[in-house]
Amino acid sequence: MILGRYIPGDSPIHRLDPRTKLLGCFYYIGIVFLANNWITYALMFALTLGLLPLAHVRLGFFLRGVRAIIYLILFTVLLQLFFTTGGHVWWQWGWLTVTSKGVVNAVYILCRLVLIIFASTLLTLTTQPLGLADAVESILKPLKPLHVPVTELALMLSIALRFVPTLMDQTTKTMNAQRARGVDFGSGGPIKQLKAIVPLFIPLFVSAFSMADDLATAMEARGFRGGDGRTRYRALAYHRGDAVAVVLLVVLTVVLIVLRTH
Amino acid sequence: MQPVIDIQDLSFRYREATTDALKHVSLTVNPGEWVAIIGRNGSGKSTLAGNIIGLLEPERGSVTSGHVTVSGLPLDDEHVWDIRARVGIVFQNPDNQFVGATVADDIAFGMENRAVPRAEMQQRVQAALSAVGMTDFAEREPARLSGGQKQRVAIAGIVAQAPDIIILDEATSMLDPAGRRAVIDLVTQLQQERHMTVLSITHDLDEAARADRIIMLAHGAVADVGTPAEIFTRGTELAANGLDVPFPEQLKVALRARGVSVPDDYRTEKGLVDYLWTLRSTM
C-alpha cells in the first residue's frame, strides 16, 4: 500500500515547495473535470505518467501501490455502466441496461478516478507529511484575521504526525500484552471482535491522555505560551521549479479549454 | 555567595490530596553546584521540581506557602516565564517530551517560543547538536532514535536556550546503564564548560554520587543533607528511604559480618581497594 506514504528522494518533484505541490494537486484534480473527450484525456494521462520518471518513481511500483483501491474504482465504473440511461440501448436485463452513453460515462469516470488517484498518490509519495503540515499552515495564514487559530492548528497537526509512529508502537505493545493475557484479536463474529477491541482501546486512550499531559508539561516548561509571538525554525521557500510548475498548469488549462468539445 | 535557587518554607498540596506533598521544605543551591535530590517514590521530589519552575502553581494546589527565588527572581505570575527561560528541565520519559517532528525542530522549539530570529536559531541548533554529539541526526524523526539519543536531544534543546540551571527530573531512569552514563557524562561536561547549576532528581546512585551535595526527601520534608560520602555511610537510613546502598558500602557490611575490620567513613570503590590491599600488606 503506497497511498499516503512518503518515499524519500531528491527528484525535481521532491524539491518543489510543498505549497506548490498541495495547491497544484488540488488544481489538477479540478481541471481533470475539464477534460471531456479522448484527446484531452490522452493528454492528461500522458502528462501524469510523464511526471512519474521526473519524480523517480517506477510505473510498476506505482501501479502495484494503487491496486488496493481497484475494487472501489470497479464498483463506481459498474454503477455508471449499468445505471446510466440514454443513447443506444445495447443490452438490457431487468432494470440493468448498457447503453452507449453509459459506456462512454463509465470510461470517463474510470479515467477521472485513475487520474485523481495518481495525482494525489504522487503528492504524498514526494512530500514529507511535515512539509504538508507546513503547507497547510502557510495556505491557511490569510484566515488568521478571521480568528482562525492557524498556528495552533499547524502545531496540532505536526504533533499529531510526530506521535503517529509512537502510538503505533504503543498499539502493538498493548496488543501483544493483551494477547499474552489471552485476548484473541481478529477472530470470531463481529460482536466478539468488537469486544476484543475494548482491552486495546481503553489502555490506548489512557496512555494517550498521560502522554498529552507529559507533553503539555514539557512544552510549558520550555516556554510555550500559545501560538502568538513565536518565530519559526522551518521556513518554506519558492524556487524556480515552482514557477515552472505554475506555468505548466496554466498552459495545460488553456490547452484543455481549447481542446474540449462543447 | 547569592544562592541560585532559594526555597524557603515551601509547602504544597495537590488539589484532591489529603496531605501535603511538600512540608516546610527549605533549601538553597549555589551557582555551579550539582545537587542531587533523592528519596523514595512519592517523597515529593518531582513536586519540588514542578514548584521551582512554577509548573505547579498555587491555584493547582490548595495549600501553598513559602517563597521560591530562582536566579534572584521571585517565583510569581510576573516572573514565571523569565524563570523558565533560565531553567532547563529534562523529564523522565524521552518519548513524551519530544515536541518537534525532527531532532532539529525539537531543539528549536524553546527558541521559537522565545521568538529568537531564524538565522540565530539555525546557528544555535547546530551548536547544540554538536555539543551533545548528535550533528548527524538533525533531520531524524524521534521514532528512529533510541531512548538515550532522545534524552540527548532534550538536553540539546536546553543547551540551545543557554539556561543557568538544568533540572534532571529522573531523566536517566528509563535508560540502560550505558545510556545513563552517557547522559550523566554529557551533563557533567556541560556543567563544567558552561558553569551551569545542576539539580538532579534521581534514584540512580551513580548520578547521586556525582553530586556535590545530596538532599534526601522523605514524606515531603527534607530528611537529610550532606555530601555523598556523608549520606552513603548511612546504610540503614538509605534502605529505609527506599534507596540502594552503594556497592563499597554493601561490601563493608559483608566484610564486617565476617570479622574484617573496615573503616566507618565512606570510601569509593577505589578507596576501598586501596584500604584492603594495605590491610593485607604485612610489610
Side-chain angles (χ1 to χ4, degrees):
Chain A
M1 184 76 170
I2 62 167
L3 251 180
R5 222 172 82 192
Y6 168 68
I7 309 284
D10 189 34
S11 69
I13 305 276
H14 279 87
R15 281 196 297 271
L16 284 181
D17 190 281
R19 285 170 294 185
T20 313
K21 280 188 275 189
L22 186 63
L23 289 177
C25 185
F26 280 132
Y27 185 74
Y28 189 84
I29 289 172
I31 59 175
V32 161
F33 292 94
L34 279 181
N36 65 353
N37 58 25
W38 304 117
I39 307 165
T40 44
Y41 275 116
L43 178 72
M44 292 298 269
F45 265 102
L47 211 105
T48 314
L49 295 180
L51 286 177
L52 290 185
L54 203 61
H56 300 180
V57 181
R58 273 173 300 122
L59 182 63
F61 173 77
F62 200 76
L63 287 178
R64 243 176 297 132
V66 293
R67 207 170 42 182
I69 33 178
I70 195 104
Y71 293 106
L72 184 71
I73 297 176
L74 276 181
F75 176 74
T76 324
V77 168
L78 288 180
L79 273 187
Q80 282 291 330
L81 187 63
F82 288 122
F83 292 101
T84 312
T85 49
H88 287 294
V89 177
W90 287 347
W91 181 80
Q92 193 160 25
W93 183 78
W95 35 268
L96 294 178
T97 49
V98 174
T99 63
S100 58
K101 206 174 168 197
V103 171
V104 171
N105 265 357
V107 173
Y108 282 176
I109 283 285
L110 174 74
C111 290
R112 279 179 195 161
L113 276 177
V114 169
L115 282 171
I116 289 171
I117 289 161
F118 273 24
S120 40
T121 308
L122 197 62
L123 170 75
T124 57
L125 269 185
T126 58
T127 319
Q128 269 181 313
L130 195 56
L132 285 177
D134 287 342
V136 168
E137 181 187 8
S138 176
I139 291 165
L140 291 182
K141 209 161 251 168
L143 296 180
K144 223 171 176 177
L146 301 174
H147 301 291
V148 178
V150 175
T151 335
E152 279 88 349
L153 281 175
L155 190 74
M156 266 162 57
L157 196 56
S158 101
I159 289 175
L161 287 171
R162 172 246 168 282
F163 269 94
V164 167
T166 312
L167 284 169
M168 296 272 257
D169 274 359
Q170 191 70 38
T171 311
T172 321
K173 270 189 211 159
T174 316
M175 269 178 104
N176 287 338
Q178 301 294 29
R179 276 196 189 110
R181 291 177 174 83
V183 176
D184 192 5
F185 291 110
S187 73
I191 301 288
K192 192 168 173 265
Q193 287 205 32
L194 269 179
K195 275 188 177 161
I197 296 233
V198 174
L200 172 65
F201 261 32
I202 291 178
L204 266 184
F205 271 112
V206 173
S207 85
F209 278 123
S210 91
M211 269 184 203
D213 203 29
D214 280 359
L215 186 72
T217 310
M219 285 170 68
E220 217 183 317
R222 290 168 72 182
F224 182 73
R225 303 165 78 165
D228 296 329
R230 300 180 80 225
T231 46
R232 294 296 306 267
Y233 176 69
R234 252 191 338 253
L236 298 173
Y238 290 115
H239 298 290
R240 204 180 329 144
D242 299 297
V244 174
V246 171
V247 170
L248 265 179
L249 281 174
V250 171
V251 170
L252 179 67
T253 316
V254 172
V255 171
L256 280 178
I257 290 172
V258 170
L259 290 180
R260 73 186 252 128
T261 45
H262 299 284
Chain B
M1 190 161 39
Q2 179 89 3
V4 68
I5 299 176
D6 187 4
I7 298 172
Q8 294 302 328
D9 197 33
L10 178 71
S11 296
F12 182 84
R13 179 182 290 197
Y14 286 99
R15 193 171 281 157
E16 269 147 36
T18 48
T19 53
D20 288 358
L22 292 175
K23 295 168 198 152
H24 308 288
V25 172
S26 295
L27 58 92
T28 57
V29 178
N30 295 321
E33 197 180 19
W34 182 312
V35 172
I37 296 184
I38 60 175
R40 66 190 326 162
N41 289 341
S43 60
K45 304 186 300 291
S46 294
T47 311
L48 184 63
N51 268 293
I52 292 172
I53 54 167
L55 284 175
L56 300 169
E57 290 160 30
E59 307 93 79
R60 294 197 204 166
S62 56
V63 181
T64 298
S65 63
H67 303 282
V68 178
T69 312
V70 179
S71 289
L73 300 169
L75 180 65
D76 52 30
D77 283 351
E78 194 186 331
H79 294 102
V80 67
W81 294 102
D82 293 329
I83 288 179
R84 283 179 197 169
R86 286 162 202 233
V87 182
I89 181 160
V90 183
F91 293 98
Q92 180 176 17
N93 191 326
D95 261 316
N96 300 2
Q97 58 179 311
F98 207 109
V99 186
T102 65
V103 167
D105 282 304
D106 190 64
I107 295 172
F109 180 74
M111 289 187 283
E112 289 179 326
N113 293 336
R114 300 201 166 89
V116 175
R118 191 162 169 265
E120 192 189 333
M121 256 198 285
Q122 279 166 324
Q123 234 172 13
R124 278 162 71 174
V125 165
Q126 282 310 317
L129 277 169
S130 74
V132 302
M134 295 277 291
T135 308
D136 299 337
F137 295 84
E139 294 307 317
R140 287 284 183 92
E141 285 140 30
R144 292 167 62 207
L145 298 176
S146 72
Q149 286 171 332
K150 279 179 219 162
Q151 290 301 54
R152 278 159 171 256
V153 173
I155 293 171
I158 286 169
V159 170
Q161 301 255 38
D164 307 334
I165 304 161
I166 292 187
I167 299 179
L168 304 173
D169 187 357
E170 296 189 39
T172 60
S173 65
M174 294 178 93
L175 306 180
D176 60 13
R180 200 175 282 192
R181 219 166 299 127
V183 167
I184 296 172
D185 288 347
L186 175 64
V187 177
T188 307
Q189 189 198 335
L190 289 171
Q191 184 211 9
Q192 281 159 2
E193 281 171 9
R194 291 157 201 247
H195 309 289
M196 289 183 187
T197 308
V198 179
L199 190 67
S200 81
I201 290 165
T202 185
H203 289 287
D204 179 42
L205 285 175
D206 290 336
E207 206 176 313
R210 169 65 201 73
D212 301 313
R213 207 148 51 92
I214 293 181
I215 295 171
M216 197 197 286
L217 290 185
H219 309 293
V222 176
D224 209 347
V225 182
T227 62
E230 286 163 3
I231 298 281
F232 286 161
T233 46
R234 298 168 200 169
T236 47
E237 199 185 316
L238 280 175
N241 275 300
L243 291 157
D244 273 339
V245 179
F247 177 69
E249 288 298 321
Q250 291 177 23
L251 186 63
K252 269 159 66 179
V253 171
L255 285 172
R256 235 176 249 136
R258 284 166 179 74
V260 183
S261 75
V262 282
D264 282 336
D265 59 327
Y266 174 73
R267 301 286 169 106
T268 58
E269 264 174 59
K270 188 175 175 304
L272 198 60
V273 168
D274 283 350
Y275 173 81
L276 288 174
W277 76 256
T278 42
L279 183 72
R280 282 284 293 156
S281 168
T282 47
M283 278 172 66

